[in-house]
């Protein structure tokens, strides 16, 4: 039905926009993780902080890395969902994916 198609295209547009937002979020987390890396890359400076440790910057890069990993998993899942929708070979779904990706990158 026409209403179902409009809803499907709208969902694909939103999924594509979310995909682009997550891609940008990963880039922000990467920049923060690089800034949180200690100057010395010895193994002792990269481990998680001990419970009694008062240095808040030590181990902070690890939390950023975990955040990047979670963002990556969500990005891959969304990417495959959009890909499967586009592979339905429906022109409107395809245009919705392109429009959503464009809007998501623009915003």
């Amino acid at each position: 039905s026409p209403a179902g198609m409009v809803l499907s295209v709208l969902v694909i547009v939103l999924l594509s926009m979310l995909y682009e937002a997550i891609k940008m979020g990963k880039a922000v987390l990467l920049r923060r993780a690089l800034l949180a890396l200690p100057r010395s890359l010895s193994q002792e400076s990269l481990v998680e902080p001990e419970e009694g440790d008062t240095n808040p910057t030590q181990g902070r890069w690890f939390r950023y890395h975990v955040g990047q990993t979670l963002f990556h998993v969500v990005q891959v899942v969304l990417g495959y969902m959009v890909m499967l929708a586009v592979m339905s070979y429906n022109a409107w779904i395809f245009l919705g994916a392109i429009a959503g990706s464009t809007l998501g990158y623009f915003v």
Side-chain angles (χ1 to χ4, degrees):
S1 72
M5 181 54 70
V6 169
L7 183 63
S8 297
V9 170
L10 182 64
V11 166
I12 293 301
V13 167
L14 293 176
L15 284 177
S16 296
M17 288 178 69
L18 182 61
Y19 178 86
E20 290 294 328
I22 287 175
K23 191 167 72 171
M24 291 296 143
K26 273 179 52 179
V28 168
L29 277 179
L30 176 63
R31 185 174 50 235
R32 289 183 184 173
L34 290 175
L35 290 174
L37 275 175
R39 295 276 182 218
S40 167
L41 291 178
S42 66
Q43 187 175 7
E44 293 81 23
S45 64
L46 292 177
V47 295
E48 276 291 317
E50 301 295 326
E51 284 194 28
D53 201 358
T54 58
N55 188 359
T57 60
Q58 185 180 17
R60 184 171 47 181
W61 72 273
F62 183 75
R63 281 176 262 159
Y64 288 132
H65 185 65
V66 169
Q68 279 181 301
T69 303
L70 294 176
F71 271 12
H72 177 74
V73 169
V74 172
Q75 182 184 7
V76 167
V77 168
L78 285 175
Y80 277 119
M81 288 171 62
V82 171
M83 180 195 66
L84 286 173
V86 167
M87 287 181 63
S88 70
Y89 299 108
N90 185 312
W92 293 110
I93 297 287
F94 175 73
L95 292 175
I98 298 298
S101 181
T102 304
L103 286 173
Y105 185 80
F106 182 73
V107 172

